[in-house]
């Protein structure tokens, strides 16, 4: 008994964490199939005590699969996710391919698990920087309502995949050794110019839109509205890549709808909130840090304080592992919820 599960993009930065999260889950698992591009076919990866051969991701690979976790880029999802669903698999897609499709639930289990009831075989996992922000804001929204959010992110290079981690490492080593290095990946592998990330934050994540925002910023704005089911929520973002391997950090300013909140009250709500660890003790220099959050499933929140100039407005600082809660763990957590809600099946049309 148990599910037959496929991971698409198993050789990638997120895929590797998906394997780890499936090793740790209580989800009943019958088999795991690792899929990637034809370049990786035959490569051996470990799942628990077994060596598994990576296979090429193609439509027939989804025969007999109950659950498929996708993280191989939007193009692969667009092409193969419908093929997987057609063959009876429920797809949890970590790319942006289907997130804004009104027929596809966009789910963070701490925020909108009931949206899973609406699925037609496909569920979207939000962008990593969006997920941790809504985990931190949801307990505050529930109690006081949320009017406006202004966020600035400091995002790890692993959000851009394994090649970007390699680039940060190689470039840092080259610069420290006094050697030349030509950037080839960051800020965006497909864009025209590439810039140094070592010792140098870059205010571009994903491509620029016509309005001057990057697509990463667009995602934070529109995904947040969809997850919180509030088109009137005012959200704006500036997304910055920093020379950190793993874990995104975010400075969040927010305005609440109702009166009566204090920093102490918000800290109390955060201390009890699911998926949140409050690390907020200025007297003892306690605040969230990427090095501590890397490898953990929770969102760490601190620096909660009132805006002294504006009523009902506050700041917080949150940090979470972009590859875990931002991607692989949120996907596996969705799978656990689907299992508990008896939703691991593709509804008949
Ligand atoms: P591969 O290693 O075979 O290229 P990352 O986010 O770390 O860059 O990883 C991207 C993941 O997506 C890898 O597992 C990669 O596999 C996979 N991938 C890329 N292109 C394809 C494709 N056309 N079909 C299936 N998987 C793909
Ligand atoms: C980054 N947030 O840090 C991106 C990676 O839409 O799933 C994830 C992109 C996405 O570069």
């Amino acid at each position: 008994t148990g599910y037959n599960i496929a991971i698409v993009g198993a050789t990638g930065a997120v895929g590797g964490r998906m394997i780890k999260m499936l090793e740790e889950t209580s989800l009943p698992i019958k088999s795991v199939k690792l899929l990637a591009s034809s370049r990786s076919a035959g490569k051996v990866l470990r799942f628990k005590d077994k060596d598994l051969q990576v296979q090429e991701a193609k439509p027939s690979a989804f025969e007999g699969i109950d659950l498929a976790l996708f993280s191989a880029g939007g193009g692969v999802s667009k092409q193969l996710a419908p093929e997987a669903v057609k063959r009876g698999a429920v797809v949890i897609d970590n790319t942006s391919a289907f997130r804004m499709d009104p027929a596809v639930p966009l789910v963070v289990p701490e925020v909108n698990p009931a949206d899973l009831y609406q699925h037609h075989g496909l569920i979207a996992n939000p962008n990593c920087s969006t997920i941790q922000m809504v985990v931190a804001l949801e307990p505050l929204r529930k109690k006081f309502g949320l009017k406006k959010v202004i966020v600035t992110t400091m995002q790890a290079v692993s959000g851009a995949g394994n090649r970007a981690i390699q680039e940060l490492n190689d470039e840092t080593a080259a610069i420290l050794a006094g050697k030349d290095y030509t950037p080839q990946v960051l800020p965006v592998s497909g864009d025209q110019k590439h810039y140094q990330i070592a010792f140098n934050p870059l205010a571009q994540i994903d491509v620029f839109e016509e309005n001057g925002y990057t697509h990463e910023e667009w995602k934070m704005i529109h995904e947040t509205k969809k997850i919180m089911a509030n088109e009137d929520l005012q959200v704006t973002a500036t997304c910055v890549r920093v020379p950190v391997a793993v874990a995104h950090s975010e400075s969040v300013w927010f305005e609440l709808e109702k009166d009566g909140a204090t920093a102490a009250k918000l800290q109390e709500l955060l201390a009890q909130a699911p998926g949140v660890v409050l690390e907020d003790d200025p007297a003892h220099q306690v605040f969230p840090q990427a090095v501590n959050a890397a490898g953990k499933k929770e969102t760490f929140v601190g620096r909660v304080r009132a805006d002294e100039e504006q009523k009902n407005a506050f700041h917080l600082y949150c940090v979470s592992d972009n590859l875990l809660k931002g991607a692989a763990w949120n996907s596996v957590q969705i799978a656990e919820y689907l299992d508990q809600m008896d939703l691991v099946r593709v509804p008949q049309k």
Side-chain angles (χ1 to χ4, degrees), residues 33-226:
K33 193 182 233 184
L34 304 180
L35 304 172
S37 78
S38 55
R39 299 179 291 275
S40 300
K43 191 173 168 184
V44 173
L45 294 174
R46 226 163 157 77
F47 178 76
K48 294 192 177 169
D49 55 355
K50 290 195 204 85
D51 283 333
L52 299 181
Q53 276 207 2
V54 177
Q55 300 172 46
E56 183 183 352
K58 52 184 177 192
S60 60
F62 298 99
E63 299 290 352
I65 293 296
D66 303 303
L67 266 171
L69 310 182
F70 275 69
S71 194
V76 174
S77 289
K78 277 196 186 125
Q79 196 196 337
L80 290 178
E83 297 290 342
V85 174
K86 220 192 284 173
R87 288 166 176 79
V90 173
V91 168
I92 302 170
D93 181 30
N94 186 50
T95 76
S96 58
F98 303 102
R99 284 180 191 150
M100 298 319 288
D101 182 335
V104 175
L106 181 65
V107 174
V108 178
E110 287 85 347
V111 182
N112 60 337
D115 287 2
L116 290 172
Y117 287 113
Q118 309 302 324
H119 89 75
H120 302 285
L122 235 167
I123 295 128
N125 192 81
N127 179 28
C128 38
S129 46
T130 311
I131 294 177
Q132 59 164 303
M133 183 175 80
V134 299
V135 167
L137 290 175
E138 175 63 10
L140 315 180
R141 185 204 64 79
K142 254 196 200 150
K143 179 86 180 164
F144 291 105
L146 193 58
K147 191 168 166 191
K148 181 167 183 164
V149 180
I150 303 175
V151 57
T152 303
T153 68
M154 290 142 272
Q155 297 183 221
V157 295
S158 51
N162 277 331
R163 284 179 65 218
I165 303 176
Q166 197 61 50
E167 179 161 277
L168 172 63
N169 291 342
D170 293 349
E171 193 175 66
T172 305
I175 289 171
L176 290 175
K179 294 187 189 139
D180 287 339
Y181 184 91
T182 308
Q184 283 170 349
V185 181
L186 291 163
V188 179
S189 64
D191 215 338
Q192 291 170 18
K193 294 181 180 174
H194 300 296
Y195 299 123
Q196 176 182 328
I197 183 66
F199 311 103
N200 189 41
L202 296 172
Q204 182 191 359
I205 300 182
D206 211 328
V207 293
F208 280 101
E209 312 265 355
E210 275 181 5
N211 63 0
Y213 283 76
T214 61
H215 193 57
E216 182 80 358
E217 291 158 355
W218 185 94
K219 287 183 206 170
M220 288 199 80
I221 294 164
H222 295 280
E223 292 180 13
T224 301
K225 290 175 195 258
K226 178 168 175 177

